[in-house]
Amino acid sequence: MLKAFQKQISEHFSILDEERFLLACSGGVDSMVLAALCARANLKFAMAHCNFRLRGTESDADEDLVRKTASKYKVDFYITHFDTVGYVNKNKVSVQMAARELRYTWFTQIMDENTLGALVTAHHADDNLETFLINLSRGTGIEGLTGIPPKNGNIYRPLLSFSREQIEAYARTERIEWREDASNAETKYLRNRIRHQIVPELKKLNPTFLENFKKTQEHLSGTAAFLNATIEKLKTSLFVNNNGVVTISIADLLELHPLKTVLYELFKEFGFTAWDDINALLTASSGKEVRSKTHRLVKDRDTLLLAEIKESARNIYAINVPQKRIDRPITLLFDDVSEIDETSGNVLYVDKETLKYPLTVRKWQKGDYFYPLGMQGKKKLSKYFKDEKVDIIAKDDQWLLFSGNDLVWVIGRRGDDRFKVNAHTKQIVKIIFNK
Amino acid sequence: MLKAFQKQISEHFSILDEERFLLACSGGVDSMVLAALCARANLKFAMAHCNFRLRGTESDADEDLVRKTASKYKVDFYITHFDTVGYVNKNKVSVQMAARELRYTWFTQIMDENTLGALVTAHHADDNLETFLINLSRGTGIEGLTGIPPKNGNIYRPLLSFSREQIEAYARTERIEWREDASNAETKYLRNRIRHQIVPELKKLNPTFLENFKKTQEHLSGTAAFLNATIEKLKTSLFVNNNGVVTISIADLLELHPLKTVLYELFKEFGFTAWDDINALLTASSGKEVRSKTHRLVKDRDTLLLAEIKESARNIYAINVPQKRIDRPITLLFDDVSEIDETSGNVLYVDKETLKYPLTVRKWQKGDYFYPLGMQGKKKLSKYFKDEKVDIIAKDDQWLLFSGNDLVWVIGRRGDDRFKVNAHTKQIVKIIFNK
């Protein structure tokens, strides 16, 4: 296997022959065999081990083995201990996701600090087949069937052409010490079933099954990359961005086929899951929307509007006593001035005596009305927005300043007549909206 | 199962409730259960059976069972016998391909003659999973993983939501008679291994495996359809068709990513298989080409030329004695005329006495030369083509007329000075190239 490994390196991973790299080593058979191969091929590398502290003394024994091995091969050894459970609780991610994020962040840091040009991991051909089958059992799309690539950025996987069988055989004949991999229980159960019951049968279907499977995944990866490039081009032509709100013509969307697939590909990165609802949105009435955890997609006449979800519409911010400045939820400056000078949409002058504390800042609600500055009589805010052609997202982003129950300012747009400066005004307050 | 079947019909196949359809029935458990379900659901249908005569008396017993069943259900029965082996030998296709082509051609004919609105087949969920795994074992791309759709044109598959297990259980409890399906030996061996060793284990991975798999295939089908639509659009913008020769700008191709995938998708329908060679063609020297059985792709300066392969370049067609017309390899008319009238590139007037039989018609060969009409001296044909900016495909498509070893006419382009009509000419021959 050493010769086959060296051939792989010289033909497909020549950078590992030229530069010192970091070898990620869990202590499992795959990475211990990889370390042995790298040492015997006289490659220049350092070893890194992450102790995720998920299995008590077992985790520590893994760490000890990797340390001992690095010392045997006379290579630098980097170790870190993670509070994985703490990270899981804090970031609301799965243990697997936490371990991955912690690990790769730390690897990158070590590589930067020690000018190591590449990261090498021990993924092999069966890993890709197992992941393919796990994803298949759960239901997936093309992205779940493509597998880990041999090169991805500065991460290299020189064992990806080798099977688990070859790796384990090498460990046995070369008496390489290793420890059972840690992995979460469900995946371990699934992987074991796949490893022992399914994969051997698949390999019996065709003597070159694993080789054919590798070609299939290369093919699918190419298709997925072409798909992504196509979707990115499509986004460039469809998505019109105005101050963080993306406008998309529904007529343009309807020209694409198959619509369901296109909608999924266009919007999946924004965390949406309710695809039937998004489909229905195209023919829904104006104002209907679908939300993900981070984004909203709103039907607005003949367009869809896509925007990040910001401040909750229900929050009310009180200004209990007069002050010079507030910064939450937006920045407003309050100045006592003797005359009206600068005028702009972002500045409002009011008669100080008319303001009744606490002032409040909030989003609009159904039924809100005001007396638009310079106009006779009152007007519903919804009517005002409509007349001003304010779109749904901008409407929901609009902050309002109230004095008691009276609207003082549609902030940045229009003041209220009841608070205006007049001949009887004793003290003028200049309010500045600092965008 | 009858209720679940009726629900499928009313929710997803309502056309089968409304129109009389043709049910394709092999006599196997799937189609015999389908026939029973259709009869019990009081649907209006006729039954068709193809006897492929591949298994002697076994094939005839299948036919008898289906005939008996049609009579029991009191529905029309259509039967045909195919010379499958003859078709295989004649058309150089596999037995499976032959059976498919024969079957669907015949079904379409029966449907037309008897105004049957739809064809119904008994494919079920395990069929798709098995085909998926067979393709996977051989190596495939997304098109090999998408499966048969529930509706495709006027073909409907109302059992596609049911598993083999459900269908066989129904056959047992309802005592439905059926016979073992015929299929070719290799596929049968693979399908049996998959059916008995692999699929049961896959289903153990996840209780909803088959349901998830169905969603995966729907997802992949959507992706494949989007991919196809994208490639068709790309072809429209990249392929410039001039009289059957397609010109493709290499600079435009090089902007596409990933190139290998795009080249495969653009050219696969023309039967190419040497993808590495096609990749290399982009940077090869002018004149290099890659051929499929039906097409050639030629590098010509900064473009690729794609054309159907026509007449072999080596064939020589002899005209042994004077005649009025030839039609192979092209149509030429020979007329004795008394004067030169119509002139065009497709007409040449020659001095009859200069022609020496046999005349021959062939493609150009290295070293060919002629004395261009109206010019002094001789010229190499290759130089003539270059000066006239004749592209590589057009050059290879160019027919030449010879008298003995002397070139008479670069047909449709330029005559030879040695054969021209002059003051001493006794008889003029008018040669017309009839495109």
Side-chain angles (χ1 to χ4, degrees):
Chain A
M1 186 177 175
L2 179 59
K3 276 197 182 155
F5 176 74
Q6 287 176 306
K7 192 156 174 266
Q8 275 290 313
I9 297 291
S10 68
E11 285 179 7
H12 302 294
F13 300 92
S14 56
I15 186 177
L16 303 182
D17 230 350
E18 295 150 14
E19 285 195 40
R20 214 167 138 254
F21 58 86
L22 186 66
L23 192 158
C25 187
S26 67
V29 62
D30 310 330
S31 55
M32 291 300 285
V33 163
L34 178 59
L37 289 168
C38 290
R40 287 167 199 193
N42 289 317
L43 303 181
K44 290 185 202 68
F45 64 105
M47 285 169 75
H49 178 78
C50 305
N51 188 332
F52 294 104
R53 290 184 163 158
L54 289 168
R55 300 174 308 135
T57 56
E58 291 289 311
S59 294
D60 295 335
D62 292 350
E63 176 182 335
D64 289 344
L65 174 63
V66 180
R67 176 181 287 110
K68 204 180 72 182
T69 306
S71 148
K72 185 173 104 187
Y73 295 147
K74 298 192 173 58
V75 302
D76 289 343
F77 175 64
Y78 303 100
I79 172 73
T80 191
H81 300 82
F82 290 124
D83 174 16
T84 313
V85 175
Y87 188 89
V88 164
N89 293 336
K90 190 177 157 204
N91 295 283
K92 312 279 173 229
V93 293
S94 70
V95 169
Q96 272 193 312
M97 190 64 85
R100 168 198 290 273
E101 288 175 9
L102 287 166
R103 191 164 63 217
Y104 280 98
T105 307
W106 182 64
F107 288 152
T108 306
Q109 186 192 329
I110 293 185
M111 288 162 68
D112 285 350
E113 288 170 6
N114 300 279
T115 54
L116 294 158
L119 175 67
V120 169
T121 71
H123 291 94
H124 52 68
D126 283 85
D127 281 331
N128 268 351
L129 178 55
E130 286 165 21
T131 303
F132 177 98
L133 291 169
I134 286 177
N135 290 341
L136 193 66
S137 76
R138 291 173 177 160
T140 187
I142 189 170
E143 68 279 13
L145 302 178
T146 51
I148 299 173
K151 302 173 202 180
N152 188 12
N154 59 357
I155 305 177
Y156 297 81
R157 300 179 174 98
L159 290 189
L160 215 47
S161 304
F162 298 91
S163 67
R164 162 172 292 108
E165 216 179 326
Q166 288 174 291
I167 291 168
E168 289 186 351
Y170 188 75
R172 276 195 304 277
T173 56
E174 301 292 317
R175 298 177 186 278
I176 292 166
E177 202 181 338
W178 53 278
R179 292 179 45 82
E180 276 301 334
D181 270 331
S183 48
N184 80 57
E186 192 217 3
T187 301
K188 190 149 195 168
Y189 167 80
L190 278 179
R191 283 206 186 261
N192 274 336
R193 286 210 74 83
I194 288 171
R195 202 169 290 173
H196 300 299
Q197 312 299 332
I198 299 173
V199 170
E201 291 296 331
L202 286 174
K203 289 181 180 172
K204 278 184 209 162
L205 290 182
N206 195 319
T208 56
F209 185 93
L210 211 52
E211 189 51 36
N212 297 352
F213 177 71
K214 199 182 141 206
K215 281 186 197 143
T216 299
Q217 284 206 316
E218 284 168 8
H219 203 134
L220 291 177
S221 298
T223 302
F226 177 65
L227 187 68
N228 285 343
T230 305
I231 290 291
E232 286 312 313
K233 259 188 226 162
L234 200 55
K235 278 183 189 163
T236 308
S237 75
L238 283 178
F239 287 15
V240 181
N241 196 324
N242 286 314
N243 297 317
V245 177
V246 172
T247 306
I248 305 145
S249 149
I250 290 175
D252 288 351
L253 282 177
L254 289 174
E255 277 180 22
L256 300 164
H257 172 81
L259 189 55
K260 215 174 146 183
T261 301
V262 178
L263 292 177
Y264 171 80
E265 292 295 338
L266 286 175
F267 296 117
K268 67 178 177 185
E269 69 165 298
F270 306 104
F272 291 99
T273 50
W275 300 107
D276 288 340
D277 294 348
I278 289 181
N279 245 307
L281 206 56
L282 299 185
T283 51
S285 50
S286 252
K288 290 264 178 196
E289 68 172 90
V290 178
R291 284 176 176 242
S292 72
K293 272 185 191 165
T294 56
H295 285 74
R296 48 196 300 221
L297 195 58
V298 186
K299 165 84 183 261
D300 187 23
R301 284 163 297 173
D302 49 0
T303 63
L304 291 185
L305 304 176
L306 172 71
E308 250 184 277
I309 294 174
K310 293 181 190 158
E311 212 53 58
S312 159
R314 309 245 169 142
N315 287 355
I316 296 176
Y317 297 84
I319 307 167
N320 292 315
V321 293
Q323 47 195 287
K324 284 280 174 203
R325 174 188 181 116
I326 63 159
D327 281 301
R328 283 270 290 167
I330 49 173
T331 299
L332 293 178
L333 310 174
F334 298 82
D335 246 350
D336 286 348
V337 296
S338 54
E339 54 176 25
I340 292 177
D341 47 11
E342 171 204 14
T343 59
S344 94
N346 292 326
V347 174
L348 184 73
Y349 297 91
V350 298
D351 183 328
K352 189 166 190 174
E353 281 190 346
T354 59
L355 293 178
K356 286 180 192 72
Y357 285 80
L359 305 182
T360 53
V361 176
R362 66 163 172 84
K363 297 289 181 73
W364 81 287
Q365 292 170 2
K366 222 179 156 177
D368 282 342
Y369 63 90
F370 75 134
Y371 292 78
L373 194 58
M375 265 180 61
Q376 294 286 339
K378 77 177 184 185
K379 186 166 193 169
K380 276 199 162 174
L381 204 52
S382 56
K383 177 88 169 65
Y384 167 77
F385 284 143
K386 201 175 172 188
D387 292 347
E388 297 285 316
K389 295 196 168 58
V390 177
D391 75 38
I392 294 169
I393 300 264
K395 211 160 81 180
D396 289 355
D397 281 348
Q398 178 66 52
W399 290 101
L400 309 172
L401 177 67
F402 286 86
S403 162
N405 288 324
D406 297 333
L407 182 47
V408 179
W409 192 16
V410 180
I411 297 171
R413 291 186 185 272
R414 189 80 171 258
D416 185 289
D417 210 69
R418 293 166 291 180
F419 299 89
K420 74 174 171 204
V421 173
N422 60 35
H424 310 292
T425 301
K426 291 175 187 153
Q427 179 59 54
I428 301 173
V429 181
K430 177 182 185 183
I431 315 178
I432 302 171
F433 172 37
N434 205 340
K435 265 193 179 173
Chain B
M1 187 176 175
L2 179 58
K3 277 197 181 155
F5 177 74
Q6 287 176 307
K7 191 156 174 268
Q8 274 291 312
I9 297 291
S10 68
E11 284 178 8
H12 301 294
F13 300 91
S14 55
I15 186 176
L16 304 182
D17 231 349
E18 294 151 13
E19 285 194 40
R20 211 164 141 258
F21 57 86
L22 186 65
L23 192 158
C25 187
S26 68
V29 62
D30 310 331
S31 54
M32 291 300 284
V33 164
L34 178 59
L37 288 167
C38 290
R40 288 167 199 194
N42 289 316
L43 303 180
K44 290 184 202 69
F45 64 104
M47 286 169 74
H49 178 79
C50 305
N51 188 332
F52 294 104
R53 290 184 162 159
L54 290 167
R55 300 174 308 134
T57 56
E58 291 289 311
S59 295
D60 296 334
D62 292 351
E63 176 184 333
D64 290 343
L65 174 63
V66 180
R67 176 181 287 111
K68 204 180 71 181
T69 306
S71 148
K72 186 173 102 187
Y73 296 146
K74 300 191 172 59
V75 302
D76 289 344
F77 174 65
Y78 303 100
I79 172 73
T80 191
H81 300 81
F82 290 123
D83 173 17
T84 313
V85 175
Y87 188 89
V88 164
N89 293 336
K90 189 178 158 204
N91 295 283
K92 312 280 174 230
V93 293
S94 69
V95 170
Q96 272 191 311
M97 190 64 85
R100 168 198 291 273
E101 288 175 9
L102 287 166
R103 192 163 63 219
Y104 282 96
T105 306
W106 182 64
F107 288 152
T108 305
Q109 187 193 328
I110 293 185
M111 288 162 68
D112 285 350
E113 287 169 6
N114 300 278
T115 56
L116 294 157
L119 176 66
V120 168
T121 72
H123 292 93
H124 53 68
D126 283 85
D127 281 330
N128 267 351
L129 179 55
E130 287 165 21
T131 303
F132 178 98
L133 291 168
I134 287 177
N135 289 342
L136 194 66
S137 77
R138 291 172 176 161
T140 186
I142 188 169
E143 67 279 12
L145 302 178
T146 50
I148 299 172
K151 302 172 202 183
N152 189 13
N154 59 357
I155 306 177
Y156 297 81
R157 300 178 175 98
L159 289 188
L160 215 47
S161 305
F162 298 91
S163 68
R164 161 172 293 108
E165 216 179 325
Q166 288 174 290
I167 291 167
E168 289 186 351
Y170 188 76
R172 276 194 305 277
T173 57
E174 301 293 317
R175 299 178 185 278
I176 292 167
E177 202 181 339
W178 53 278
R179 293 179 46 82
E180 278 299 337
D181 271 331
S183 48
N184 80 58
E186 192 216 4
T187 302
K188 188 149 196 167
Y189 167 79
L190 278 179
R191 284 206 184 260
N192 275 335
R193 287 209 74 83
I194 288 172
R195 201 169 292 175
H196 300 299
Q197 313 298 331
I198 299 174
V199 170
E201 291 296 331
L202 287 174
K203 290 181 181 173
K204 279 186 209 161
L205 291 181
N206 196 320
T208 56
F209 185 92
L210 212 51
E211 189 51 34
N212 297 351
F213 177 71
K214 199 182 140 205
K215 282 186 197 140
T216 298
Q217 284 205 316
E218 283 168 9
H219 202 134
L220 292 176
S221 298
T223 302
F226 177 66
L227 188 68
N228 286 343
T230 305
I231 290 292
E232 286 312 312
K233 260 188 227 162
L234 200 55
K235 278 183 188 163
T236 309
S237 75
L238 283 177
F239 286 16
V240 181
N241 196 325
N242 286 316
N243 297 318
V245 178
V246 171
T247 307
I248 305 146
S249 150
I250 290 175
D252 289 349
L253 282 177
L254 289 174
E255 278 181 21
L256 299 165
H257 171 80
L259 188 56
K260 215 174 146 183
T261 301
V262 178
L263 292 177
Y264 171 80
E265 292 294 338
L266 285 176
F267 296 117
K268 68 179 176 185
E269 70 165 298
F270 307 104
F272 291 100
T273 50
W275 300 107
D276 287 340
D277 295 347
I278 288 181
N279 244 308
L281 206 57
L282 300 186
T283 51
S285 50
S286 252
K288 289 264 179 197
E289 69 172 272
V290 178
R291 284 177 176 241
S292 72
K293 273 185 191 166
T294 56
H295 284 75
R296 49 196 299 219
L297 195 58
V298 186
K299 165 85 182 260
D300 187 23
R301 283 161 298 171
D302 49 1
T303 63
L304 292 184
L305 304 176
L306 172 71
E308 249 184 280
I309 294 174
K310 293 182 191 159
E311 211 53 58
S312 159
R314 309 246 170 143
N315 287 357
I316 296 175
Y317 298 83
I319 308 167
N320 292 315
V321 293
Q323 45 196 286
K324 283 279 173 204
R325 173 189 182 115
I326 64 159
D327 283 299
R328 284 267 291 165
I330 48 174
T331 299
L332 294 178
L333 310 175
F334 298 82
D335 245 350
D336 287 349
V337 295
S338 54
E339 54 177 23
I340 292 177
D341 47 11
E342 170 204 13
T343 60
S344 94
N346 293 326
V347 174
L348 184 75
Y349 296 91
V350 298
D351 184 327
K352 190 167 189 175
E353 282 191 344
T354 61
L355 294 179
K356 288 180 191 71
Y357 286 80
L359 306 181
T360 53
V361 176
R362 65 161 171 86
K363 296 289 180 72
W364 81 285
Q365 291 169 4
K366 222 178 155 176
D368 282 341
Y369 63 89
F370 74 135
Y371 293 76
L373 194 59
M375 266 181 61
Q376 295 285 339
K378 77 178 184 184
K379 186 167 193 168
K380 274 198 164 174
L381 203 54
S382 55
K383 176 89 167 66
Y384 167 76
F385 284 143
K386 200 173 174 189
D387 292 348
E388 296 286 316
K389 295 196 169 58
V390 177
D391 74 38
I392 293 169
I393 301 262
K395 212 159 82 181
D396 288 357
D397 282 348
Q398 177 66 51
W399 290 103
L400 309 171
L401 177 67
F402 286 86
S403 163
N405 288 324
D406 297 334
L407 183 46
V408 179
W409 192 15
V410 180
I411 297 169
R413 291 185 184 272
R414 190 80 172 256
D416 187 289
D417 210 68
R418 295 167 289 181
F419 299 90
K420 74 175 172 201
V421 173
N422 59 36
H424 311 292
T425 300
K426 290 175 187 154
Q427 179 60 53
I428 302 173
V429 180
K430 176 182 184 181
I431 314 178
I432 303 172
F433 172 36
N434 205 340
K435 266 194 180 171

